Amino acid sequence: MASLPTTYDGPVPIAVIGGTGLRELPGFTQVASLNITTPWGVPSSPITILHHECKHNNKVVAIAFLSRHGLHHQIAPHEVPARANIAALRSIGVRSIIAFSAVGSLQEEIKPRDFVIPDQVIDRTKGVRPWTFFEGGIVAHVPFGDPFDEGIAKVVRECGHSLEGDGVVLHDRGTLICMEGPQFSTRAESKMYRSWGGSVINMSALPEGKLAREAEIAYQMICMSTDYDCWHESTADVTVEMVMGNMKSNADNARRFITAVLDALASEEHAELVQAKHLAGGIKFGISTPQANWKPEAKEKLDWLFPGYW
Ligand SMILES: CSC[C@H]1O[C@H](OP(=O)(O)O)[C@H](O)[C@@H]1O
Ligand SMILES: Nc1ncnc2[nH]cnc12
């Protein structure tokens, strides 16, 4: 294949982050491949810019795609450079992220290959992943009571329901447990997460979602169930083979789902939502350190993330 341009000039407000089994988005035209270096390092993969012709208005929109675990799934969940990923996406104009994830089901009614649009998350990562842009002399605290974006979630749910009966089964809400990994849970842990009200489990929603919130990016995860983890008495414990097998056999549904979401988000009706106007500027109110006391090195990094804010 001829190599792609390494720059892209147009606006790119929407990004898709692909996870396990979703290292690229088939069916879209690739128009550029960007290698971006951020003050937090380099992203998991080059950012591919895809052109998508919106079904509703035939308008061509640019979408950014990033592969969370790298082009060859060589990056473990705890090694994902989430700060570089989020910062790089924001630097090209991204303000809304649809993040895909393969998850274990913690509830009988969430069957393998069902989709879940989580609305809550419980953090079971172990503090080994860098999880904030605000450190080294500038302190900030952002609200995270609703960790996902309800506006984007509403559009995603409508799209999922429009595909129901056509192979897609959708659960509108759910509590996602984000564990550290890379080992899967013990049976005792799996049962404990069920007793906490967990619906599904993965290793990658955090700190990705927290960093997106700090970067004023609307973030919604679409989860696809691939297994019953290890709590279920009559099914085998989760294995990578099981996860990959279910991702592969449901890949076409995942592709149709994401295409429908991109069609909907590209319509005029959702322009404000996609630009995350509801989040814009909010970070200014979350900073506790008076600007006069900011360390120059810390300010330089934040200036990269929020050009023109200070
Ligand atoms: C290969 S099974 C565990 C792996 O799958 C999920 O990946 P992702 O969320 O990126 O789709 C899970 O979070 C783990 O990283
Ligand atoms: N059972 C499980 N636990 C954690 N992450 C997963 N991703 C897919 N299945 C999983």
Side-chain angles (χ1 to χ4, degrees):
M1 193 174 92
S3 63
L4 291 166
T6 53
T7 56
Y8 186 80
D9 280 338
V12 193
I14 306 171
V16 174
I17 298 182
T20 295
L22 195 69
R23 276 181 281 161
E24 54 183 23
L25 266 191
F28 294 80
T29 314
Q30 298 189 358
V31 294
S33 174
L34 315 181
N35 288 297
I36 298 172
T37 300
T38 79
W40 296 274
V42 291
S44 299
S45 75
I47 296 176
T48 312
I49 306 297
L50 309 165
H51 271 179
H52 170 59
E53 187 175 335
C54 174
K55 179 174 103 182
H56 304 299
N57 54 15
N58 296 336
K59 215 172 78 181
V60 173
V61 291
I63 311 288
F65 181 83
L66 177 70
S67 176
R68 182 183 293 124
H69 300 286
L71 294 180
H72 313 286
H73 203 132
Q74 76 278 22
I75 304 174
H78 63 284
E79 295 171 327
V80 171
R83 291 192 297 189
N85 290 350
I86 297 296
L89 290 173
R90 184 178 162 100
S91 78
I92 59 166
V94 168
R95 295 294 181 271
S96 288
I97 294 177
I98 302 293
F100 253 83
S101 177
V103 298
S105 167
L106 297 169
Q107 299 298 331
E108 183 78 51
E109 67 276 15
I110 302 174
K111 301 193 167 47
R113 304 189 198 173
D114 287 4
F115 292 91
V116 181
I117 312 305
D119 59 348
Q120 278 301 324
V121 62
I122 294 177
D123 191 351
R124 284 279 298 169
T125 63
K126 302 262 170 77
V128 297
R129 310 172 180 195
W131 61 88
T132 181
F133 290 112
F134 295 91
E135 59 181 6
I138 302 180
V139 177
H141 306 278
V142 295
F144 205 54
D146 289 306
F148 298 103
D149 192 86
E150 255 310 303
I152 302 281
K154 187 165 176 279
V155 176
V156 170
R157 290 182 189 119
E158 280 165 12
C159 293
H161 286 304
S162 74
L163 298 171
E164 260 170 351
D166 201 9
V168 170
V169 177
L170 183 72
H171 302 265
D172 272 347
R173 292 183 182 276
T175 296
L176 170 62
I177 309 282
C178 183
M179 62 173 294
E180 183 55 55
Q183 304 83 359
F184 291 115
S185 305
T186 65
R187 219 175 302 291
E189 287 165 341
S190 196
K191 288 180 179 171
M192 178 181 72
Y193 298 144
R194 276 167 54 72
S195 78
W196 288 358
S199 314
V200 286
I201 182 163
N202 76 0
M203 304 175 189
S204 57
L206 300 174
E208 198 170 88
K210 289 186 175 177
L211 293 164
R213 178 63 53 87
E214 286 187 346
E216 299 180 351
I217 295 175
Y219 178 92
Q220 181 60 48
M221 197 160 240
I222 299 181
C223 297
M224 202 197 93
S225 159
T226 52
D227 51 82
Y228 275 120
D229 201 33
C230 59
W231 62 271
H232 200 284
E233 294 192 349
S234 52
T235 62
D237 291 357
V238 56
T239 60
V240 168
E241 194 184 5
M242 200 185 276
V243 172
M244 296 314 260
N246 278 316
M247 273 307 296
K248 200 165 170 204
S249 21
N250 218 22
D252 195 47
N253 283 332
R255 190 194 51 77
R256 288 188 311 123
F257 195 168
I258 187 73
T259 304
V261 170
L262 295 177
D263 270 331
L265 291 179
S267 69
E268 282 308 317
E269 184 194 347
H270 294 124
E272 287 238 326
L273 171 68
V274 161
Q275 284 298 339
K277 297 277 193 228
H278 53 297
L279 300 175
I283 196 65
K284 292 177 188 165
F285 304 104
I287 298 187
S288 310
T289 318
Q291 207 170 330
N293 302 93
W294 287 10
K295 287 221 173 99
E297 316 83 81
K299 179 173 186 294
E300 201 180 318
K301 283 181 158 185
L302 287 189
D303 280 340
W304 195 93
L305 191 62
F306 300 106
Y309 264 33
W310 298 287

